[in-house]
């Protein structure tokens, strides 16, 4: 059983699923590979996103009904992927953004090319509010690709990290693949998730990435990264 903590599966809110039909196709792909819990994490860009977190909770409820009516055994949990800006803690207090599946963890996205100096303060402010940041796909950030050792200081501070299945299978190129393998090997990664955007090129199928991780690092690492750490850190009940 897999738990996919990063997906753009809610229809019509961001650059993920276009409509309900595509969401359902994505849910079937996820189910077929063994995923039973999926966290919907639409993008949130300060000043550029119209939803508030209550909308995501409501849309998740609709998607759960849709899945149940289609006979797909899957629980869809609310979450979001927040682009890191100075206003992050304030947005959380206002209810614009929320944590993953009712946990104390929040999925935070860095810029692609750099790590701006304000990031450390923003992450620290979140931690002061009792929130554990999860860095979304650090292996895709150009500075971390150049210096994967940067991850160590985040992990030492109690920050978690999530890598993309597509980085492991190689769809994001050699740099992302090399970086993802290095940071997994070092023990600086807690979750592998799909970051699925559609039912085609970036789909929610985790099985190829899981097979690669098992072959390279063994079955314990596969279980930790694809399910057990989600049970541990996000307190998702495997029975629900
Ligand atoms: Fe994403």
């Amino acid at each position: 059983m897999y738990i996919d903590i990063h997906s753009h599966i809610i229809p019509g809110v961001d650059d993920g699923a276009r409509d309900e039909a595509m969401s359902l196709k994505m849910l079937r792909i996820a189910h077929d590979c063994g995923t039973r819990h999926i966290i919907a994490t639409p993008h949130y860009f300060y000043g550029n996103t119209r939803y508030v977190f209550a909308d995501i909770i409501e849309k998740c409820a609709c998607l759960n009904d849709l899945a149940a009516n289609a006979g797909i055994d899957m629980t869809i949990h609310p979450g979001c992927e927040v682009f890191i800006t100075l206003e992050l803690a304030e947005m959380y207090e206002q209810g614009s953004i929320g944590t993953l599946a009712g946990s104390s963890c929040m999925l935070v996205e860095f810029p692609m090319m750099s790590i701006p100096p304000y990031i450390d303060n923003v992450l620290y402010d979140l931690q002061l509010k009792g929130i554990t940041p999860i860095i979304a796909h650090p292996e895709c950030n150009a500075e971390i690709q150049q210096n994967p050792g940067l991850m160590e200081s985040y992990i030492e501070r109690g920050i978690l990290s999530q890598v993309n299945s597509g980085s492991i299978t190689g769809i994001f190129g050699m740099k992302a693949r090399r970086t993802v393998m290095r940071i997994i090997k070092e023990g600086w990664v807690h979750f592998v998730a799909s970051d699925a955007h559609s039912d085609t090129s970036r789909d929610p199928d985790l099985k190829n990435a899981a097979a690669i991780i098992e072959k390279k690092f063994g079955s314990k690492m596969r279980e930790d990264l694809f399910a057990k750490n989600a049970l541990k850190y996000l307190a998702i009940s495997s029975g629900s």
Side-chain angles (χ1 to χ4, degrees):
M1 193 269 295
Y2 299 144
I3 299 171
D4 188 351
I5 73 156
H6 183 166
S7 75
H8 300 270
I9 195 134
I10 293 181
V13 290
D14 61 1
D15 58 344
R18 260 195 320 270
D19 49 30
E20 287 184 353
M22 188 183 278
S23 296
L24 277 176
K25 281 187 191 165
M26 291 166 76
L27 287 170
R28 284 204 178 87
I29 293 169
H31 185 272
D32 285 351
C33 81
T35 301
R36 292 295 177 272
H37 293 267
I38 190 160
I39 306 183
T41 52
H43 289 288
Y44 192 99
F45 293 98
Y46 178 74
N48 203 11
T49 298
R50 264 166 274 285
Y51 73 71
V52 292
F53 201 62
D55 300 331
I56 300 305
I57 293 172
E58 195 183 310
K59 286 173 193 296
C60 271
C62 294
L63 201 51
N64 274 304
D65 287 345
L66 207 65
N69 289 336
I72 305 168
D73 174 17
M74 183 77 72
T75 306
I76 302 117
H77 303 264
C80 56
E81 177 184 20
V82 194
F83 189 80
I84 193 157
T85 60
L86 288 168
E87 298 81 4
L88 215 140
E90 186 190 323
M91 289 189 296
Y92 176 67
E93 301 222 304
Q94 288 170 354
S96 301
I97 56 175
T99 56
L100 299 185
S103 72
S104 60
C105 297
M106 185 182 286
L107 188 64
V108 176
E109 184 181 25
F110 286 8
M112 287 290 281
M113 298 312 293
S114 64
I115 302 181
Y118 62 81
I119 276 183
D120 279 346
N121 282 338
V122 175
L123 295 174
Y124 185 61
D125 280 350
L126 280 180
Q127 289 181 297
L128 286 180
K129 291 186 189 312
I131 295 172
T132 303
I134 300 177
I135 302 171
H137 39 67
E139 78 283 6
C140 297
N141 175 278
E143 277 196 44
I144 293 171
Q145 288 176 349
Q146 270 170 21
N147 183 7
L150 289 173
M151 286 305 293
E152 189 173 17
S153 80
Y154 294 113
I155 305 310
E156 279 174 351
R157 282 178 271 159
I159 292 162
L160 306 177
S161 84
Q162 169 266 316
V163 299
N164 284 358
S165 53
S167 301
I168 294 166
T169 56
I171 66 167
F172 298 118
M174 276 308 293
K175 280 185 185 167
R177 191 181 149 95
R178 201 181 309 128
T179 307
V180 81
M181 290 308 181
R182 165 79 195 283
I183 63 179
I184 289 175
K185 187 172 159 223
E186 299 283 358
W188 297 333
V189 174
H190 306 82
F191 313 95
V192 176
S194 69
D195 194 6
H197 278 69
S198 78
D199 58 334
T200 51
S201 58
R202 290 175 72 183
D203 70 37
D205 189 348
L206 295 173
K207 71 174 173 299
N208 292 338
I212 292 169
I213 294 303
E214 172 144 355
K215 194 170 171 209
K216 221 168 158 55
F217 302 105
S219 60
K220 184 183 181 302
M221 181 72 95
R222 175 182 57 72
E223 284 165 14
D224 285 348
L225 296 183
F226 288 81
K228 281 197 172 160
N229 284 340
L231 295 173
K232 177 175 158 188
Y233 292 105
L234 308 179
I236 287 174
S237 156
S238 56
S240 71

